[in-house]
Amino acid sequence: MSNIILDISKIDMQFPTPDGPFTALKDVSLKIEEGEFVSLIGHSGCGKSTVLNIVAGLYQATLGGVALEGKEVNEPGPERAVVFQNHSLLPWLTAYQNVELAVDQVFSHANGNYKSKEETKEWIEYNLKLVHMDHAMHKRPDEISGGMKQRVGIARALAMQPKVLLMDEPFGALDALTRAHMQDSLMEIQNELNNTVIMITHDVDEAVLLSDRIVMMTNGPAATIGEILDINLERPRERLALASDIEYNRLRSEVLRFLYEKQRKVDHITKEEKISTKTSASVDGKVENNEAA
Ligand SMILES: Nc1ncnc2c1ncn2[C@@H]1O[C@H](COP(=O)(O)OP(=O)(O)OP(=O)(O)O)[C@@H](O)[C@H]1O
Ligand SMILES: [Mg+2]
């Protein structure tokens, strides 16, 4: 029935530190189906980025491993494109050229998927259009807004036609309105292309809105998967309709309960974090509310 594309199996991750090895992750296992949208949620520092970096091949797990379509992952590869929290565009290249650079790496005679000059151009433009960036494709990163840069980063990742799209808080730095636009575009794109996605988020509403499953991580050290929540809301999903949907609100409460009852974390909150305000139910925002209550 299921078609497992990614198998994260019994991962432990230890980092060497001056005080000896630090165990960030302990026994993390997760199987992901092709076309599935999985969110990773958990308190700051629990190990979400570490999981993503291991899947990306940027870190090597201390124990256990990751297999993509049955093949062990031990280095980065274009079939696992990463969108980092802060866009990582090359500042001297235009949006178009940033995407082109990635496309040229993936499509070649050597890889058996060569694209002619004209096909390459069409492909780059198609992907920039998907994220509604076709109007500004010849601008450089310093000439476009943060949200636009993030969209170019997503176009670049999509243009590589990755088997798995890995996103580390892709909308974390965006204002609420831009974030909502980006979430809607991502849902449209995923609906069209059926990408397999792992996305890290701090935003409970974002996780419920976008995911097929929400993977909730326990607090570190030795963090692991605490619970997994299936999100069986019908697609396409409409944020306004969902706001009053009973099942949506039940799922949202489940995640909040996990984070603030079962994995409550109020230590290490600096004064600065307490006074920062967030518009939606983000992990950190909710901690602030608890504190204030
Ligand atoms: N290279 C490293 N060396 C030592 N410790 C590390 C290293 N990278 C991460 N850690 C530690 O591992 C733990 C998990 O870090 P990670 O960045 O994965 O957390 P996170 O869940 O992504 O947090 P955030 O939500 O703040 O991004 C943290 O305690 C962090 O300090
Ligand atoms: Mg992180």
Side-chain angles (χ1 to χ4, degrees), residues 193-247:
L193 306 179
N194 198 35
N195 301 99
T196 307
V197 183
I198 304 182
M199 181 183 75
I200 295 175
T201 181
H202 270 106
D203 184 326
V204 177
D205 293 287
E206 177 171 278
V208 180
L209 180 68
L210 298 178
S211 311
D212 296 309
R213 275 192 298 164
I214 301 180
V215 171
M216 297 178 274
M217 292 186 60
T218 62
N219 295 337
T224 192
I225 294 173
E227 286 177 32
I228 298 181
L229 191 65
D230 288 319
I231 310 292
N232 291 318
L233 298 167
E234 256 179 57
R235 291 183 190 270
R237 296 177 185 167
E238 262 280 349
R239 72 181 61 242
L240 274 180
L242 285 176
S244 54
D245 184 281
I246 293 172
E247 177 63 2

Side-chain angles (χ1 to χ4, degrees), residues 15-17 22 24 42-51 59 169 202:
F15 290 109
T17 72
F22 171 78
H43 289 288
S44 183
C46 72
K48 304 177 294 295
S49 296
T50 305
V51 172
Y59 291 173
E169 293 190 54
H202 270 106

Side-chain angles (χ1 to χ4, degrees), residues 3-152:
N3 189 6
I4 303 298
I5 184 166
L6 196 71
D7 188 357
I8 301 171
S9 175
K10 298 196 162 98
I11 281 184
D12 281 14
M13 184 70 189
Q14 286 187 345
F15 290 109
T17 72
D19 306 324
F22 171 78
T23 303
L25 300 175
K26 184 84 197 146
D27 201 17
V28 174
S29 292
L30 182 67
K31 289 184 192 329
I32 297 179
E33 283 182 32
E34 195 170 359
E36 212 183 352
F37 195 118
V38 171
S39 289
L40 282 186
I41 202 163
H43 289 288
S44 183
C46 72
K48 304 177 294 295
S49 296
T50 305
V51 172
L52 205 80
N53 284 328
I54 292 171
V55 176
L58 295 166
Y59 291 173
Q60 190 71 48
T62 314
L63 273 182
V66 176
L68 178 73
E69 294 183 318
K71 268 180 65 183
E72 196 182 332
V73 163
N74 42 30
E75 59 181 359
E79 73 290 344
R80 285 160 286 127
V82 188
V83 178
F84 294 99
Q85 170 165 14
N86 291 314
H87 77 91
S88 48
L89 303 179
L90 297 174
W92 59 90
L93 298 180
T94 64
Y96 181 96
Q97 290 165 332
N98 265 285
V99 179
E100 185 177 33
L101 196 67
V103 167
D104 285 347
Q105 277 169 5
V106 175
F107 299 93
S108 65
H109 283 301
N111 291 342
N113 56 4
Y114 174 78
K115 282 188 192 297
S116 69
K117 241 186 149 71
E118 191 49 39
E119 284 168 337
T120 301
K121 181 169 176 285
E122 270 173 29
W123 179 239
I124 295 166
E125 289 176 359
Y126 168 79
N127 281 282
L128 284 164
K129 231 177 236 162
L130 274 181
V131 296
H132 306 294
M133 274 301 295
D134 41 320
H135 63 291
M137 64 183 160
H138 299 301
K139 296 203 161 154
R140 285 197 319 271
D142 64 356
E143 299 171 305
I144 58 180
S145 71
M148 290 160 91
K149 286 193 266 252
Q150 206 56 8
R151 280 189 267 167
V152 177

Side-chain angles (χ1 to χ4, degrees), residues 175-185 187 206 209 239:
D175 64 274
L177 210 60
T178 313
R179 177 188 274 244
H181 280 302
M182 292 298 299
Q183 291 164 347
D184 289 341
S185 333
M187 280 195 287
E206 177 171 278
L209 180 68
R239 72 181 61 242

